[in-house]
Amino acid sequence: MDHLDSTRNDHKDFLKGSLEQFLPNPLLMFQKWYQTAFEKNCPSPHAMVISTVSAIGQPSSRVVYMKEVLEEGLVFYSNYKSKKGRDLESNPHISALFFWEVTEQQVRLEGKVIKIAPEMSDAYFASRPRISQIGAWASHQSETIQNRAALELLVEEFEAKYPNEVPRPPHWGGYLIEPHYFEFWQGRLGRLHDRICYVRKGEDWEIKRIAP
Ligand SMILES: Cc1cc2nc3c(=O)[nH]c(=O)nc-3n(C[C@H](O)[C@H](O)[C@H](O)COP(=O)(O)O)c2cc1C
C-alpha cells in the first residue's frame, strides 16, 4: 500500500477562535456556530456523521445531511428500512458529529431519535427534485442489488408509474434527534482546546468545561 505521510498535519496550530462566551441553550449555540460555518464558506456545513448501534451492539457511522434545526433538536431524512433505519428501530440512541475545518470547530451530540410527523416528511419530500423522489422509491437502501442496471430498471419503472406527482414512499421520512448531550470544541493553540459540554437535566442544561 502507498505510504501517505499522515503526520504531515500533526503540528497544525488552531488559531481561529476561542470559546469563552456560551449561550445557556445548546441548540441556540449550535445555530450560532452553524450560521458562522455557512458564512465562512465551510464545505458542506450541514454534513453530519451519525452513528447508530445495532441490536448486537455494533456501532456504524455514515454521513447524512442535517436539514433543520428545531427547538427540540436536529432533523435528517432517510430510508426507514435502511441499515440505519433498522438499527434505530431496535435502538433509538444516536450520536452525531459535525466538523467544520474552516472555523476549527467540532460539535458532538448524543440523544434519541423519533420519527417526525408524516406531514412534515410529506412537505419536505414534495420539495425535492423529481429524480430524488423517484430514487426514494427505486432504491431499497442498504439491500444487496444484482448490478447497476437492476437499479436503473427500477428507476424507469417508477418513472412510468408516477408520470406526474410522486407520492412519498411510506418507508422514507425524517428523524428528529432529541439531544441530551452536546459538546462544542474550538481548536486552540498548543492543543489547549476549548471544550464546553451541555448535559440535559430535566428542563435545564448543565454546562461544564472539560479538559482538552
Ligand atoms: C455528503 C453525503 C450526504 C448524504 N446525505 C444523506 C442523507 O441525507 N440521507 C441518507 O439517507 N443518506 C445520505 N447519504 C448516504 C449515507 O451516507 C449512506 O450511504 C446511506 O444513508 C446508507 O446508510 P446505511 O446503510 O447505514 O443506512 C449521504 C452521503 C454523503 C457522502
Side-chain angles (χ1 to χ4, degrees):
M1 201 184 285
D2 283 347
H3 179 72
L4 297 174
D5 181 9
S6 59
T7 61
R8 201 170 46 193
N9 288 326
D10 270 7
H11 302 294
K12 171 183 154 66
D13 278 327
F14 296 99
L15 300 165
K16 302 249 172 81
S18 65
L19 183 43
E20 307 293 348
Q21 287 173 333
F22 25 92
L23 301 169
N25 183 312
L27 281 146
L28 294 179
M29 185 78 191
F30 177 82
Q31 192 63 285
K32 190 174 153 196
W33 276 28
Y34 183 51
Q35 175 85 28
T36 308
F38 254 100
E39 286 165 8
K40 304 268 180 192
N41 295 317
C42 285
S44 305
H46 57 323
M48 71 175 173
V49 176
I50 52 161
S51 301
T52 57
V53 177
S54 75
I56 61 154
Q58 173 63 57
S60 165
S61 306
R62 77 291 284 156
V63 179
V64 295
Y65 284 138
M66 192 276 296
K67 283 290 165 192
E68 208 173 345
V69 187
L70 303 177
E71 254 176 56
E72 301 81 21
L74 307 185
V75 176
F76 68 93
Y77 289 87
S78 194
N79 184 314
Y80 291 143
K81 290 187 180 166
S82 64
K83 155 87 174 115
K84 76 182 87 50
R86 280 180 272 126
D87 282 0
L88 291 169
E89 203 64 50
S90 64
N91 181 352
H93 294 272
I94 191 165
S95 73
L97 172 80
F98 294 82
F99 171 50
W100 298 310
E101 188 166 17
V102 176
T103 52
E104 300 177 342
Q105 291 174 330
Q106 170 180 250
V107 179
R108 293 162 65 172
L109 58 131
E110 294 172 11
K112 275 166 101 170
V113 294
I114 54 169
K115 287 178 186 166
I116 62 170
E119 306 77 54
M120 208 173 142
S121 293
D122 286 342
Y124 175 61
F125 187 81
S127 77
R128 304 188 84 207
R130 180 176 166 81
I131 182 67
S132 308
Q133 294 176 332
I134 293 288
W137 280 103
S139 165
H140 299 189
Q141 196 175 51
S142 316
E143 306 265 309
T144 306
I145 49 175
Q146 214 171 7
N147 49 36
R148 179 89 203 172
L151 177 64
E152 284 168 7
L153 192 64
L154 279 171
V155 169
E156 277 172 33
E157 280 175 25
F158 282 106
E159 288 275 14
K161 185 167 179 189
Y162 300 119
N164 303 311
E165 202 179 311
V166 186
R168 175 177 66 86
H171 58 262
W172 190 97
Y175 288 101
L176 169 69
I177 305 178
E178 295 181 309
H180 53 71
Y181 178 83
F182 269 91
E183 180 199 317
F184 293 86
W185 182 101
Q186 175 74 59
R188 297 289 301 267
L189 186 64
R191 300 294 179 269
L192 296 174
H193 314 302
D194 286 327
R195 297 177 70 191
I196 300 297
C197 296
Y198 292 74
V199 185
R200 181 126 216 173
K201 298 276 179 210
E203 290 301 295
D204 297 324
W205 291 92
E206 186 183 277
I207 306 178
K208 56 187 180 183
R209 180 179 284 270
I210 57 173

